[in-house]
Amino acid sequence: MTSVRDAAFDLFRARGMTTIFGNPGSTELPMLASFPADFRYVLALHEGVAVGMADGFAQASGRPAHVNLHTAPGVGNGMGAIFNAQANHAPVLITAGQQARSLMTLQANLTNRDATRVPESLVKWSFEPPRAQDVPLALARALHLAALPPRGPVFLSIPMDDWDADADEADVAHHLARTVTGRTAPAREEVAALAARLDAAAAPVLIAGPDIDASGAWDAVVALAERQHLPVWASPAPGGGRLGFPESHDLFQGILPPAIGPAAEALAGHDLILVIGSSVFPYYPNLPGPLLPEGAALVAITSDPDEAARAPMGDAIVADVALTVVALAAQSPESQRPLPPVRLAPDPVPASDPPAAAAVVDVLAEVLPQDAIVVLEAPSSTLAVRNRLRLSRPGSYYFGAGGGLGFGLAGAIGVQLAQPDRPVLCILGEGSAQYAITGLWTAAAQQVPATFLVLRNEEYAILKWFAAMEQVTGAPGLDLPALDCAAVAEAYGVPAVRPGGLDELRGALATALASPGPDLVEMRVAPGMAAG
Ligand SMILES: Cc1ncc(C[n+]2csc(CCOP(=O)(O)OP(=O)(O)O)c2C)c(N)n1
């Protein structure tokens, strides 16, 4: 007889999921008993960090990642990060412990009452198996669902006495052997019609979204844009968790503004707007206006039926993004349209003391190795990083698409664990860093070689900017005096430095990026929004 625990670990092993992120409690210990030597447990000190690490790991590895949470309070702590994982389309298997079945009805301490209802609105499937022997099938089902498009987190609550129960070996053999694939090809006539429409358009434009990178459509999108002479914009930054196009490419125009009116204004003059791998659109501030510029039509290609259905304008094709763009590029002739103008280099940044955050980003542009990965959560510097760094390789940028702070620091650890051979630079505001600050301990414990660059401006700069835009005056709580991230990092075991100027920063970053363990560089920067 095989136990539920053995069956579960065989399943994880068969799926290549030998890393488990988590924070354990008494309800999770039975799962972790006799932990197999070929598995790695990555301990987080807070569940939000555990989920954020799994999110980054899943995205950067392209495969489901497993995070194990403590019963009700642990799941509660993880909720903000689960919100981020669904926005990131990250295939994360979230398991949580539960009281023993015999004690759930009398609601003994640590019973996760209505366990499935808490994360339900944020996950593709939320389930508590009715019997212990159903756990292996529930795990298999959860993993298939997480990995099928649109990818996203799934949740299983597992009572603590299930792990030693007997599993049915013959059934488990079936679960282990199954493959479930789900890349949907678009209808041939729909692609042909879109190719004809694109070629016939007088001034088409392409909007590149995060699912281009996630689906492996990068090269096909570049080929399509080059063949059709398309100017390319990135989908708005707040919801754009990944890059969809090389940002130093001559066709790349910039990042679409994240509000209805300004986005339509930016697209004025185009008659066909082709959106690939993005929702339409991840708007944020409420700046009304027409949904489309005068005379423009829109077509979106997305693997997510909900993204397609909720778009307020335009047509959509729901299918695998890479398969669709490969087919579209193959049917698109070399266009005779003139090439769009090449966008200008960013403005030089005036010297100041402390330096502007934009000047710090310019230093990054000098020192970052070609194969570096940037994980970004420094709100007032988002556009400066995007517009000045001009990252241009697939899998080189991760950003919390949901906007819940805490993804950056935690996600960077997961990204680095999934991509051990690429240097990872995590750029954080000192406010944002606090939402996952305990992740520094995990980075030290695991000797994750990521570099954490904290931009210390002593304020919630982005919220001051929003206050001005929303005409809010007198709001409290927007200053962060004396928040010493370097000292906190040292306390968690991460070496930290405080460069006194840009030259020292250059050296500090080069050393940190090359070092075999984690490092934190705390850089004092001027307050206010960084110039994009
Ligand atoms: C979980 C969560 N809580 C609160 C917020 C609201 N929020 C957005 S930006 C921000 C301030 C970020 O400050 P910092 O990281 O120092 O960056 P800066 O704006 O100074 O660049 C806050 C509190 C959020 N997005 N997520």
Side-chain angles (χ1 to χ4, degrees):
M1 260 301 173
T2 190
S3 67
V4 165
R5 185 190 303 102
D6 289 342
F9 278 82
D10 282 347
L11 186 71
F12 300 146
R13 199 176 276 116
R15 301 275 187 279
M17 297 170 60
T18 53
T19 298
I20 300 179
F21 300 92
N23 183 263
S26 54
T27 45
E28 293 66 48
L29 291 175
M31 182 190 104
L32 300 173
S34 308
F35 196 68
D38 58 330
F39 277 64
R40 163 169 70 171
Y41 186 80
V42 180
L43 174 63
L45 305 184
H46 185 279
E47 289 82 354
V49 178
V51 175
M53 291 194 298
D55 182 343
F57 190 82
Q59 289 193 71
S61 67
R63 292 211 311 266
H66 181 189
V67 57
N68 180 245
L69 304 180
H70 188 44
T71 176
V75 177
N77 280 350
M79 283 293 284
I82 298 173
F83 175 84
N84 285 336
Q86 60 85 32
N88 288 337
H89 285 308
V92 177
L93 167 68
I94 305 154
T95 55
Q98 169 65 297
Q99 234 324 340
R101 286 181 184 270
S102 58
L103 295 182
M104 285 165 60
T105 306
L106 65 83
Q107 211 179 304
N109 196 22
L110 293 184
T111 301
N112 193 356
R113 211 175 84 184
D114 295 331
T116 59
R117 284 175 61 189
V118 177
E120 194 152 40
S121 64
L122 301 178
V123 296
K124 293 179 72 178
W125 190 48
S126 188
F127 195 66
E128 189 170 76
R131 305 175 305 166
Q133 59 265 49
D134 299 324
V135 169
L137 177 56
L139 285 167
R141 179 175 166 183
L143 287 173
H144 291 309
L145 270 175
L148 286 168
R151 295 179 141 206
V154 290
F155 175 79
L156 279 187
S157 164
I158 304 174
M160 60 190 289
D161 48 348
D162 285 5
W163 296 100
D164 283 318
D166 290 337
D168 187 305
E169 272 178 48
D171 289 0
V172 168
H174 282 294
H175 311 333
L176 284 178
R178 295 187 74 220
T179 58
V180 178
T181 56
R183 296 182 69 198
T184 313
R188 194 171 309 177
E189 63 276 12
E190 282 171 15
V191 176
L194 179 55
R197 204 171 159 185
L198 185 62
D199 195 46
V205 61
L206 195 161
I207 314 297
D211 203 25
I212 289 173
D213 197 16
S215 71
W218 187 274
D219 292 341
V221 169
V222 173
L224 175 70
E226 288 177 350
R227 209 165 294 168
Q228 279 287 302
H229 296 189
L230 300 174
V232 181
W233 291 79
S235 58
R242 298 171 73 155
L243 305 183
F245 201 77
E247 301 202 336
S248 61
H249 196 290
D250 280 353
L251 290 170
F252 189 72
Q253 305 295 304
I255 296 149
L256 208 57
I260 291 178
E265 233 169 79
L267 296 173
H270 294 291
D271 58 347
L272 181 63
I273 298 164
L274 177 62
V275 184
I276 303 181
S278 168
S279 64
V280 178
F281 286 110
Y283 295 123
Y284 179 39
N286 182 16
L287 302 176
L291 289 169
L292 288 174
E294 187 72 27
L298 180 147
V299 181
I301 297 168
T302 171
S303 64
D304 183 347
D306 188 59
E307 273 182 6
R310 71 176 194 256
M313 73 289 201
D315 304 324
I317 295 175
V318 179
D320 181 83
V321 170
L323 293 177
T324 308
V325 181
V326 166
L328 187 60
Q331 296 192 39
S332 296
E334 180 73 36
S335 173
Q336 298 308 311
R337 279 184 291 263
L339 286 163
V342 175
R343 107 177 138 140
L344 302 173
D347 289 335
V349 189
S352 63
D353 185 21
V360 170
V361 178
D362 286 347
V363 169
L364 296 180
E366 290 168 35
V367 300
L368 265 191
Q370 284 288 310
D371 59 342
I373 300 175
V374 169
V375 183
L376 177 61
E377 195 173 272
S380 63
S381 297
T382 305
L383 285 183
V385 170
R386 287 290 289 275
N387 287 332
R388 290 177 175 276
L389 273 191
R390 304 197 173 184
L391 296 167
S392 292
R393 291 193 176 194
S396 60
Y397 175 80
Y398 297 90
F399 179 89
L405 299 178
F407 169 77
L409 198 159
I413 298 170
V415 167
Q416 181 75 86
L417 287 169
Q419 296 284 343
D421 298 330
R422 292 180 66 178
V424 170
L425 176 71
C426 177
I427 309 172
L428 298 163
E430 88 258 63
S432 301
Q434 308 314 316
Y435 295 78
I437 196 75
T438 60
L440 291 176
W441 179 86
T442 303
Q446 299 282 333
Q447 280 301 293
V448 173
T451 298
F452 302 92
L453 170 65
V454 175
L455 302 178
R456 178 172 175 176
N457 59 10
E458 309 240 321
E459 61 178 5
Y460 283 160
I462 192 81
L463 296 187
K464 291 186 178 177
W465 180 84
F466 267 111
M469 197 188 67
E470 294 172 14
Q471 294 172 347
V472 170
T473 51
L478 304 183
D479 288 305
L480 295 180
L483 184 44
D484 190 341
C485 288
V488 175
E490 295 275 3
Y492 279 122
V494 173
V497 290
R498 298 183 186 87
L502 295 176
D503 284 336
E504 273 182 44
L505 173 70
R506 212 169 272 120
L509 283 170
T511 307
L513 284 163
S515 90
D519 293 276
L520 186 137
V521 178
E522 182 190 280
M523 185 66 199
R524 201 56 214 275
V525 295
M529 288 293 276

